[in-house]
Each structure stands twice: as structure tokens, then as C-alpha cells.
Amino acid sequence: MIKYLVIGDPVSHSRSPKMQNAAFEKCGLGSPYGIRHVKPEELPQFVEYARKNFRGVNLTVPHKQMVCDLVDEMTPRAANCKSVNTLLITDGYILGDSTDGVGLEQALRYNFDLPVNGKRFLFAGAGGAARATAIHFACSGAESIVFANRTESKAVEIIRDIEALNTTCRCSFAAPQEREAMAAAIKNCDCIIQATSLGLKDDDPPPFDLELLKENTDLVIFDTIYKNTKLLQRARELNIPCSGGKEMLIQQGAESFRLWTGMEPDLDAMREGFELPPGGVEV
Ligand code: NAP
């Protein structure tokens, strides 16, 4: 019986069903996690259907912002970033949570043993993923965040939201094509988070001029994309510790699993599930 699912538009590429079912199976709970294609205009109707029929939902692009107006309550961390990727449904009452930020935080610990607290970040991108994770970082003691995004206004909006939260995190903007500003931003950060969609297609340009990267033993690079992007290839050439987005997906999913079940998921089983072909039982 499917009681949990991921929705998105598109969604058939999602690795969440295999990953989550691997964790459910390890806990002796069967394979209760499915998949459903939901278009933006169908979201309100789907949420009402989910209220009566499911216990947990993960949401991916493009639903994370719109669903905020459809839930009964948001956790503080979801309210802070105005993004919801997880629904917990209890007796028809819907709690919205955001696990992307903590997922990336835990991925940085797992991949690089890097804490967020006290560190300086450069985020390439200011879309939904950058918003959810950067705001979580600002609330978790990050020292500074520079946003490099094609559209300046989107970065400014995130910076304003962070400022309104009265954290100690210093935020600023750097135009990705401005070499001097980008060189300074790279030099003065501990970690680059690549959170644009550039790199999903093989012929995409990199998010900034990769010649600006220098051999630097103190820098680490995390690309939220699961592929071997040009950024990751260049980082390896320069011996800069780097990682693709797999562990972020595992860790945000693990946090959803904890919320739904109150149990600790088997992360290695989830990592094995991630490697299986994407997709799952359609509901
Ligand atoms: P989104 O809200 O659509 O944002 C897309 C971002 O990419 C924006 O910053 C956008 O810049 C930039 N961008 C897109 N096309 C561009 C181009 N041609 N030139 C320059 N910049 C461009 O998407 P999202 O949800 O934030 O997702 C962003 C990435 O994060 C995706 O690659 C996704 O795979 C990844 N992600 C990974 C995980 C994980 O668990 N590993 C989770 C969530 C997302 P503008 O603002 O200028 O449009």
C-alpha cells in the first residue's frame, strides 16, 4: 500500500522511490513509497487528495514554493526559507518541512568533514535550491555568503530574507561574469556550492569562468548536480576536494524519513537505492 510518494513536474527521473524504499525495507516496513507526476495547476487538488490518502510527500521542482500556501503549518526552518520539500500528514493535518538545508549541511560533513558554523560560502545560483540551503546556512552560523547569480534580483531577494532573520551571517552579491569580483569571492571562501542548473546538460557552460579556480588546499567544492560536471572536472585537475550532489539527496531524504517514521534510516541502504534505475510505482 503506497503511503508516501514524491511529486514533481517532471518527476520520472527521481531517485527518491528507490532510495526511500531501501530505508523502509531495512526497517521492515515494506516498500510504501511511490511517484506521481503533478503539474503546477494540479497542486492544490493533489494536496487535498494527499490529506486523506497519504502519510508523507516529498516535493521537487516546481512545487516547493507554491505548496507553502497550501499546508496547515510550516516548521520554523521551512518558514524561514519559504520552501517546503516534505509533507507530514497526521489525521488529515499537513505539516510542511524543508530538509534541503540540513541535507546539504550533512553532505558537507560527510564528504569533507566541513561544518557550516563559522565558514564562508560562495553560492553559484539563487534559485529554489540555493534559497532553501543558503537560508539554512545563515541560520546555522555561516560567517558569510556571496551569491553569484545571472539574475541579480533573485540573489538580492534571498539576501533581504536573510537580513530579516537577524543572523550574524554577512551576505553580498557578485555578478558571475565579473572576473575581479568572482576571483575575490573565490579567494575569500571556504566552500563553493554550485546550485544553478548549469551542468545538467553536457553542453552547458560552467556557472563562472573556471580559469578563476586556482590550486587551493583550503577550498572545497560541492556541486548539487549528480553528474560529473565541468566544474567538478576542473576541481579534480586542481586537486581541490569536490563532490557531486548525491549525498545531499540522500541526507535530505533521510531527514524526511526521520520526520515520517521517528526511526533512523540505514544511510548505506539509501546510497545503494540511489544507484538503482530512477522511477518507481506510479500512484
Ligand atoms: P531553479 O529554482 O530553477 O533555479 C535555477 C538556477 O540556475 C537559478 O539560479 C538560475 O539563474 C540558474 N540558471 C538556470 N539556467 C541558467 C543559465 N542558462 N545561465 C545562468 N544561470 C542559469 O532550480 P533549483 O531547484 O534551484 O535547482 C538548481 C539545481 O540544484 C539543479 O541543478 C538541481 O539538480 C539541483 N538540486 C539538487 C538537489 C540535491 O539533492 N542534490 C536538490 C535540489 C536541487 P537565474 O536566477 O538567473 O534564472
Side-chain angles (χ1 to χ4, degrees):
M1 181 79 152
I2 298 296
K3 281 287 162 197
Y4 304 86
L5 76 167
V6 58
I7 66 161
D9 178 28
V11 76
S12 58
H13 64 284
S14 176
R15 293 167 191 255
S16 290
K18 300 280 169 60
M19 200 179 80
Q20 292 287 0
N21 280 329
F24 279 111
E25 279 160 25
K26 277 280 175 186
C27 291
L29 298 171
S31 295
Y33 194 104
I35 193 167
R36 183 173 176 135
H37 182 198
V38 175
K39 294 184 192 152
E41 63 273 23
E42 297 166 344
L43 186 65
Q45 202 186 347
F46 168 78
V47 170
E48 286 318 302
Y49 179 74
R51 192 185 282 287
K52 299 188 190 83
N53 291 283
F54 299 116
R55 180 154 167 70
V57 182
N58 281 134
L59 304 100
T60 184
V61 173
H63 300 311
K64 294 183 192 181
Q65 271 79 48
M66 207 202 302
V67 79
C68 294
D69 294 330
L70 303 171
V71 299
D72 298 315
E73 185 186 337
M74 283 200 269
T75 60
R77 64 187 178 188
N80 284 346
C81 64
K82 300 175 189 163
S83 172
V84 162
N85 75 335
T86 306
L87 305 182
L88 169 66
I89 304 168
T90 315
D91 298 329
Y93 187 82
I94 304 180
L95 176 70
D97 193 11
S98 175
T99 67
D100 283 327
V102 77
L104 179 56
E105 181 180 5
Q106 285 166 359
L108 295 182
R109 269 203 187 276
Y110 178 80
N111 288 321
F112 311 118
D113 200 21
L114 184 89
V116 164
N117 189 29
K119 297 297 177 198
R120 303 161 302 165
F121 294 89
L122 167 59
F123 272 74
R131 155 172 284 280
T133 54
I135 291 179
H136 173 79
F137 280 21
C139 294
S140 305
E143 183 180 311
S144 62
I145 303 177
V146 176
F147 293 91
N149 193 49
R150 175 180 62 178
T151 310
E152 182 172 356
S153 59
K154 282 208 213 161
V156 169
E157 214 177 291
I158 300 177
I159 292 170
R160 286 212 184 107
D161 282 353
I162 290 176
E163 283 169 357
L165 291 168
N166 280 323
T167 70
T168 53
C169 182
R170 286 179 285 108
C171 294
S172 57
F173 172 77
Q177 72 282 5
E178 277 178 19
R179 292 181 59 85
E180 257 180 49
M182 284 303 293
I186 292 168
K187 187 162 172 262
N188 295 316
C189 78
D190 301 301
C191 176
I192 297 177
I193 305 290
Q194 197 306 105
T196 75
S197 32
L198 290 174
L200 286 174
K201 289 187 255 117
D202 289 340
D203 57 354
D204 277 342
F208 55 84
D209 182 356
L210 298 182
E211 291 303 314
L212 295 171
L213 287 177
K214 306 282 176 227
E215 288 210 34
N216 176 348
T217 48
D218 296 331
L219 177 68
V220 301
I221 298 182
F222 187 93
D223 196 324
T224 62
I225 292 176
Y226 315 138
K227 293 168 70 174
N228 185 20
T229 60
K230 288 177 182 142
L231 173 64
L232 292 177
Q233 290 168 32
R234 182 71 188 139
R236 283 190 196 102
E237 283 166 15
L238 293 167
N239 294 317
I240 298 172
C242 63
S243 161
K246 170 179 168 178
E247 193 63 21
M248 176 180 169
L249 188 81
I250 303 289
Q251 296 286 353
Q252 62 78 32
E255 189 72 359
S256 298
F257 186 92
R258 289 183 196 105
L259 183 75
W260 294 328
T261 65
M263 296 166 96
E264 185 55 31
D266 183 325
L267 293 172
D268 282 333
M270 294 183 87
R271 291 182 187 113
E272 282 168 29
F274 174 96
E275 302 296 347
L276 297 172
V281 174
E282 289 184 30
V283 285

